[in-house]
Amino acid sequence: MSLRNEPNLISLMEGTGSDILKCMHCGVCSGSCPSGRHTSLNIRRLLKKARNDAGVLSDDSLWMCTTCYNCQERCPRGIGIVDAIFEMRALAVREGIIYPEHRKVGELLLEHGHAVPIDEENMAKREALGLAPLPPTVHSFPEGLEEVKKLMASCRFDELMSEK
Amino acid sequence: MANLSLFLGCVIPNRYPGIEKSTKLCLEKLGVDCVDLEGASCCPAPGVLRSFDKATWLALAGRNIALSEELDRDLLTICNGCYGSLADANYEVKEDEQLKKDVNSHLEKIGRSIKGDHEVRHITEFLHRDIGPEKIRDIVINPLELRVAVHYGCHLLKPSKGRVGSSFERPVFFDELVEATGAKSVEYSDKMECCGAGGGVRSALPDEALALTGHKLSMIESAEVDCIVNACPFCHMQLDVGQVDLNEKTGTSHNIPVLHYTQLLGLALGFSVEGLGIDLNAVVNTDFLMKVLSE
């Protein structure tokens, strides 16, 4: 199934609690959006587009949201706007619509259990501060990293991050 | 007082280890019972990895919470992003039995389970509620005469659902903690706005992220402060490295020191700039260092 041919994106977003059909387009979300002041993100328009156009999944502005939650906190109808953004992004990723840099973040997590793993420069900084070169995270506990990898396999995150 | 396990996340131990060091020094000075949460992973990052797949996000967050539950300790975060992921995941699991079953169906494959019987704390929320600004003021030996731009960051306060914090519009607890060190929290325009890094924007759309950062920095600069104090290493990185990036790309001359709250508190408790890793930032402002050293 291609989502771009799916007539009703809303049905795919059911269960997110976001209920974007309740939107009365007052614009409080756009007016509250720090990203929208500086980028092309218009959160109100994005939600409107999501009502009937699965093309929203490849809309560049979908990824300009910093997930600050101002819109969601201030929405007079209590719509889970950021929750809806998360769901749309997840649907996009399942369609293979993902920035290479984001795929890289996913790959780092799969390999190291950290989205930002340690490097030589920072191991030296740690030692200069009197800390162990490797922190007491999965970096120091290989069996912990194995657990994390098992969980990601159980959720099929490895398949999600592979090239489509 | 709560027994705590310290959750480090990724950016603190792997990019700004001075924040890890200063946290440990401050907690020890305050006599807080806190141990490392050994074997923890990425929280995982709320904006970007939560965007990719909720089940993976919940399973990994669930494991981190389960590790802390096994120690019979509340989990202490020193990063807004980690707090966002772990507090939200903990809340969702507590509220939704079916969701808890789903998470545990993954966790049982590694012999663990999440019960939802402990809390996820943030260092500023913990210091304000369990220690209190007055007690902090009492043990300060080096009151700081600094003008500070406090940056709360988004995920410390939002989503407010399930959080114990105050108003997300006009919070004061962080300002009170800063003022307990002797410093003055200076008002500035758009104080509650985002640093620009979250939601995977920094990683994939750096120019868009910098547009937000540049605005925030210009507002802070207008307030003529000595430094920025934050509660999140990801905001810390964006506001610190972002200054260097903006100076290179747009010809600005930003030079504002950026400190995590535990580094500011560490200075007030008598620890050195080097011991707290404040000199390991991308921005090293010698005027600020001279001012702090002379105090």
Side-chain angles (χ1 to χ4, degrees), chain B residues 140-205:
Chain B
V140 162
I141 58 168
N142 180 30
L144 304 171
E145 290 177 22
L146 296 172
R147 288 171 56 82
V148 168
V150 174
H151 173 74
Y152 278 79
C154 305
H155 293 249
L156 176 59
L157 308 159
K158 301 170 285 181
S160 59
K161 188 173 60 177
R163 297 284 178 82
V164 292
S166 57
S167 152
F168 84 92
E169 297 280 9
R170 292 182 191 81
V172 294
F173 66 94
F174 195 0
D175 305 271
E176 289 173 358
L177 287 176
V178 164
E179 300 217 323
T181 68
K184 175 170 176 50
S185 172
V186 177
E187 283 305 312
Y188 63 97
S189 298
D190 295 329
K191 179 176 171 180
M192 298 314 297
E193 283 211 356
C194 174
C195 69
V201 179
R202 175 184 164 83
S203 46
L205 303 166

Side-chain angles (χ1 to χ4, degrees), chain B residues 200-252:
Chain B
V201 179
R202 175 184 164 83
S203 46
L205 303 166
D207 290 341
E208 280 78 2
L210 277 180
L212 276 74
T213 312
H215 174 76
K216 183 100 196 181
L217 288 168
S218 68
M219 294 295 110
I220 288 171
E221 238 160 34
S222 317
E224 297 179 345
V225 295
D226 294 304
C227 61
I228 299 168
V229 173
N230 63 75
C232 171
F234 204 46
C235 301
H236 187 108
M237 178 187 274
Q238 184 66 13
L239 294 169
D240 178 39
V241 178
Q243 292 188 54
V244 177
D245 292 345
L246 282 164
N247 291 349
E248 281 175 8
K249 286 184 181 175
T250 67
T252 49

Side-chain angles (χ1 to χ4, degrees), chain A residues 147 150-151, chain B residues 66 70 104 106-113:
Chain A
E147 288 184 15
K150 268 188 198 167
L151 284 177
Chain B
E70 287 165 22
N104 280 332
H106 294 297
L107 289 174
E108 72 182 16
K109 294 178 184 171
I110 58 165
R112 300 190 191 275
S113 70

Side-chain angles (χ1 to χ4, degrees), chain A residues 37 63 66-68 70 73-74 89-90 101-102 113-114 116-117 122 126 129 136-139 144 147 154-155, chain B residues 10 13-15 20-21 38-40 42 51 63 106 109 112 154-155 158-160 168-169 190 193-194 199-200:
Chain A
R37 290 174 72 175
W63 295 92
T66 64
T67 68
C68 82
N70 274 0
E73 293 290 341
R74 291 179 181 157
R89 286 179 172 185
E101 294 87 354
H102 285 164
H114 286 293
V116 181
N122 282 286
R126 294 182 60 81
L129 284 162
T137 59
V138 287
H139 276 326
E147 288 184 15
S154 177
C155 296
Chain B
C10 304
N14 300 339
R15 290 297 177 274
E20 176 179 339
K21 185 70 190 296
E38 294 185 337
C42 181
S51 291
R63 175 180 173 274
H106 294 297
K109 294 178 184 171
R112 300 190 191 275
C154 305
H155 293 249
K158 301 170 285 181
S160 59
F168 84 92
E169 297 280 9
D190 295 329
E193 283 211 356
C194 174

